């Protein structure tokens, strides 16, 4: 694996020693050359590039299973409360979108790390802190009522 852009004082190449799935597309990766926090901080802002040949055989299957895994999770906004249940994950070029169905109809929510407050695997609840105006439950309810009329 190679780190890009390369850092002046940090490592440029590494081998993966271990990976721990944290949920919601987050992983803790242990590299052989990163022995302490100072070494890790040198890599802040870098990307880790891996050759396809170095990836596990089931990597593609694992990456495409996130929609199946997240389906059924309840999405809760820290301000608005329960929004709905994840029905699908749409893969987009810049970020994935959660397709959430609730009382207000179907809502698309960007699956962005900055929005995630808590990922409760056991309870199957994804708590998010969404920007004001991203999800307007009142407008969605009004549109839903017009569709029913």
């Amino acid at each position: 694996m190679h780190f890009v852009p390369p850092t002046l004082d940090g490592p440029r190449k590494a081998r993966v020693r271990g990976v721990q799935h944290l949920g919601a597309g987050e992983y803790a990766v242990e590299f052989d050359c990163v022995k302490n926090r100072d070494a890790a901080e040198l890599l802040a802002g870098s990307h880790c590039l891996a050759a396809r040949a170095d990836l596990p055989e089931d990597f593609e299957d694992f990456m495409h299973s996130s929609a199946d895994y997240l389906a059924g999770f309840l999405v809760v906004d820290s301000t608005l409360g329960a929004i709905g249940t994840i029905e699908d994950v749409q893969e987009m070029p810049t970020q994935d979108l959660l397709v959430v169905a609730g009382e207000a109809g179907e809502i698309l929510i960007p699956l962005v790390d900055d929005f995630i407050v808590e990922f409760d695997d056991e309870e199957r609840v994804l708590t998010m802190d969404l920007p004001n105006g991203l999800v307007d439950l009142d407008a969605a309810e009004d549109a839903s009522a017009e569709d029913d009329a």
Side-chain angles (χ1 to χ4, degrees), residues 73-85:
F73 268 73
L74 175 65
V75 177
V76 176
D77 178 66
S78 55
T79 303
L80 300 172
I83 293 175
T85 305

Side-chain angles (χ1 to χ4, degrees), residues 9-22:
D9 297 323
R12 293 176 183 232
K13 292 173 31 174
R15 289 185 172 260
V16 174
R17 294 180 61 183
V19 178
Q20 179 182 2
H21 183 238
L22 303 176

Side-chain angles (χ1 to χ4, degrees), residues 54-145:
D54 294 338
L55 298 174
E57 288 180 24
D58 63 347
F59 181 76
E60 288 294 323
D61 294 336
F62 177 76
M63 290 306 291
H64 293 296
S65 69
S66 66
D68 294 333
Y69 180 74
L70 290 174
F73 268 73
L74 175 65
V75 177
V76 176
D77 178 66
S78 55
T79 303
L80 300 172
I83 293 175
T85 305
I86 298 173
E87 287 192 334
D88 195 11
V89 179
Q90 291 182 359
E91 293 182 26
M92 305 301 281
T94 55
Q95 78 235 349
D96 292 343
L97 292 174
L98 297 174
V99 179
V100 179
E103 290 182 25
E106 185 176 279
I107 299 171
L108 300 176
I109 300 174
L111 183 56
V112 179
D113 289 341
D114 290 345
F115 295 170
I116 297 172
V117 174
E118 183 180 358
F119 185 83
D120 188 337
D121 236 348
E122 196 171 295
E123 296 293 323
R124 297 187 55 80
V125 174
L126 176 60
T127 304
M128 304 181 87
D129 186 16
L130 301 172
N132 292 333
L134 181 67
V135 175
D136 186 357
L137 294 179
D138 293 332
E141 286 173 2
D142 293 344
S144 172

